[in-house]
Amino acid sequence: MSGRLFGSVRSRATLAATLVVAVALVAAGTAVLLSLRSNLIGQAGTEAERTARAVATDVAIKRPDESLSVDNDEPVQIVDEKGKLLAASEDLERISGTGTDVVRPRQQPSQGATSGDSGDSDDDADDSDEASSLEPGEISEHTTFTNGTATLDGETDDYRFAAVHVEVEGRGLLTVYAGAPLSAEQSAVRTALTVMLIGFPLLLAVVAGVTWLVTRRALRPVEGIRSEMAAITASEDLARRVPVPDTHDEVARLALTTNETLAALQTSVERQRRFVADASHELRSPIASLRTQLEVGAAHPELLDLDGAVEDTVRLQGLAADLLLLARLDAGERPGDTRFDLGALARREAEGRANVTVQAQGVEVAGSRGQVGRVLTNLLDNAQRHARSAVSVTVRGEDAWAVVAVADDGDGVAEADRERIFERFVRLDEARSRDDGGAGLGLAIARDVAVRHGGTLTVGRAPAGGALFELRLPRDC
């Protein structure tokens, strides 16, 4: 079941769109959270630096005999260059992340004072070089930032600490640590993360639903085409056509192409059926005549019309050859690439024919010598059948074409029939009235061969008033 579900275009399109949006949302959400956290930490650092410099300014202007005190709601420490705590916020109970974790000043220098986990020892070493050059009352321009925790009035929070050096006359180099709470940053990040965790799945569900509906609507014409094609296959009714949506997009072009294919297939099938029916009819007459003559000859040998039997056999053999050639042409037999002289071939085909004159230049073409020779034979047979007294054949070269013109002085072909005579088993009434009329395949075979050689075969009016057939084939340059 799952294979069928994900085997559909709609399911794959929905899944792909949802995955793309999910990746984009995760990337954008991560960037937003990191940017928000960085900005809020930066704001906390700015606030902590402002507090530290304000305290440092107050310390710098005190006289050496005045005691140091800190009146601030945020955690603040003032230490000397030996790490001794000189002053701190009154409500400070515990602190980490600064130069010392002592929260109450001692009368004697503390030998056990330990440095907190500030993570900026290298920066402190760099600061000492700058601080050593400070003048009394001067505050360092450089600020060091660390993260840590502090407990005020029993409440413990995370803080961003800023450390500022100040040179105080009589006290030496002092360092002021001041902190700003990170609770706003943490709260904002948690809120944004919560919104994303709730909103992203909802947004993905909306994207999946919209994609599913849009894809379903877009593929609805395709389903209509598929169901109609299935019905056509089941009914074998090639006259039916698939619906063409009024969208002017790829699906509409697919429907139009499908209908064109169905029309071509219908034409091919009808042509094949007509071909089989006409072939059966054409074959029936000579076979029936030959059988009758043979049966009569078997019963009464003295009545056997041997010449008629031979004539029917020859006619039957020619018709079978025509049908086999048409079958090969319909099967897509390639004409080959043999080079031969079209003028010489025309002279050979016209040799021995009465009242036929040939004017042929030497023009080389490539293809099937046998098939082109069959075209010339059919054109000459047709011309002699309709000519009153003369047939002329000319072969010449015209730019990239080799042209064979076969003309007669008969009645010609009416303009309305000039395309119809190239259809299979089509014979004009005058031709059907003749005893030596063919089966109506000669001109059809001639045009098919011409087309498969990349050329054309047309009919017009000859100067003598009869029919003029022109065969054009690409020259072998």
Side-chain angles (χ1 to χ4, degrees), residues 93-158:
E93 300 175 4
R94 186 178 294 111
I95 193 171
S96 66
T98 60
T100 177
D101 58 3
V102 179
V103 296
R104 290 291 176 265
R106 298 178 184 178
Q107 297 298 325
Q108 299 296 329
S110 174
Q111 301 299 325
T114 59
S115 297
D117 185 15
S118 66
D120 289 302
S121 58
D122 292 341
D123 291 340
D124 291 341
D126 295 338
D127 293 345
S128 62
D129 295 337
E130 179 187 357
S132 62
S133 62
L134 296 178
E135 299 293 333
E138 185 179 358
I139 301 174
S140 172
E141 296 182 356
H142 182 72
T143 304
T144 303
F145 295 96
T146 58
N147 291 334
T149 61
T151 302
L152 294 171
D153 289 337
E155 295 184 2
T156 302
D157 288 314
D158 293 328

Side-chain angles (χ1 to χ4, degrees), residues 161-424:
F161 290 103
V164 176
H165 298 295
V166 56
E167 182 72 25
V168 179
E169 185 178 359
R171 290 190 172 94
L173 181 67
L174 304 183
T175 303
V176 178
Y177 294 96
L182 294 174
S183 57
E185 173 265 333
Q186 295 171 348
S187 176
V189 171
R190 282 195 299 268
T191 301
L193 182 60
T194 302
V195 170
M196 291 180 184
L197 291 177
I198 297 175
F200 283 5
L202 294 178
L203 184 57
L204 289 177
V206 172
V207 169
V210 171
T211 305
W212 179 271
L213 294 177
V214 170
T215 309
R216 178 182 180 184
R217 181 180 179 85
L219 294 178
R220 187 176 299 164
V222 178
E223 175 60 25
I225 295 174
R226 188 208 63 80
S227 60
E228 185 63 22
M229 286 296 294
I232 293 173
T233 303
S235 64
E236 298 183 357
D237 182 9
L238 295 178
R240 299 174 62 172
R241 296 293 181 265
V242 300
V244 179
D246 189 20
T247 53
H248 305 290
D249 56 7
E250 290 82 355
V251 177
R253 291 194 289 273
L254 172 64
L256 290 174
T257 303
T258 302
N259 285 336
E260 292 174 358
T261 303
L262 288 173
L265 183 60
Q266 181 185 11
T267 301
S268 177
V269 170
E270 290 178 352
R271 183 180 181 183
Q272 187 70 20
R273 290 173 179 171
R274 187 168 59 252
F275 175 78
V276 172
D278 291 340
S280 301
H281 175 74
E282 295 294 336
L283 288 171
R284 187 181 297 114
S285 297
I287 291 176
S289 176
L290 182 59
R291 178 180 177 180
T292 301
Q293 295 181 53
L294 292 176
E295 289 177 347
V296 170
H300 305 281
E302 70 279 3
L303 299 179
L304 176 61
D305 183 7
L306 188 58
D307 293 337
V310 172
E311 182 180 347
D312 286 340
T313 302
V314 172
R315 181 184 175 192
L316 183 61
Q317 183 181 12
L319 181 57
D322 287 344
L323 293 176
L324 289 175
L325 178 55
L326 283 174
R328 292 200 306 270
L329 293 175
D330 288 341
E333 179 180 299
R334 299 181 64 86
D337 56 358
T338 303
R339 295 181 177 87
F340 56 92
D341 187 343
L342 187 59
L345 182 61
R347 286 191 294 268
R348 193 191 74 176
E349 295 297 331
E351 185 178 355
R353 292 178 180 265
N355 302 322
V356 176
T357 59
V358 180
Q359 293 181 351
Q361 299 176 1
V363 183
E364 279 199 350
V365 296
S368 172
R369 182 186 182 93
Q371 291 184 8
V372 175
R374 184 61 175 276
V375 172
L376 297 177
T377 298
N378 291 351
L379 293 179
L380 288 170
D381 288 345
N382 180 77
Q384 286 188 303
R385 187 180 301 121
H386 295 87
R388 290 191 177 92
S389 60
V391 175
S392 64
V393 179
T394 59
V395 180
R396 66 185 186 276
E398 287 185 2
D399 297 330
W401 296 98
V403 182
V404 179
V406 179
D408 62 68
D409 58 355
D411 296 331
V413 181
E415 189 172 353
D417 296 326
R418 288 179 181 175
E419 282 299 316
R420 196 165 67 88
I421 61 174
F422 292 107
E423 298 178 7
R424 298 178 183 183

